Amino acid sequence: CSNRRVNNEQALSFARALSTNTSVRSVNLSCNCIDDSGAVTLASVLCSSFVVSLDLSWNCIGEASAEAIATAL
């Protein structure tokens, strides 16, 4: 767990960084304050990133957002 320090605003910054990063393959954002908004933001950049594994367990993400992330990976 990363101890509830990442919220939707920080997830947006993280997503921006992932969109230009070519070396990160695995990301653990479990146990944070990310909800559907942050999850959709992350999903929007995953398909163009090199990330193949993303842990968002113990966040407040609904089924539709989870499906968007699964599709992007």
Side-chain angles (χ1 to χ4, degrees):
C1 282
S2 37
N3 298 321
R4 302 213 173 270
R5 293 190 178 131
V6 179
N7 60 29
N8 290 329
E9 184 178 324
Q10 291 149 335
L12 174 60
S13 296
F14 194 77
R16 286 181 184 143
L18 281 179
S19 70
T20 59
N21 189 303
T22 60
S23 60
V24 174
R25 303 284 188 267
S26 180
V27 177
N28 182 349
L29 291 172
S30 63
C31 301
N32 280 289
C33 299
I34 300 170
D35 63 20
D36 289 324
S37 173
V40 168
T41 299
L42 288 167
S44 70
V45 300
L46 286 175
C47 59
S48 61
S49 77
F50 289 85
V51 173
V52 294
S53 173
L54 175 64
D55 185 350
L56 288 170
S57 60
W58 298 100
N59 282 282
C60 297
I61 297 170
E63 187 174 326
S65 298
E67 288 178 19
I69 290 168
T71 299
L73 287 173

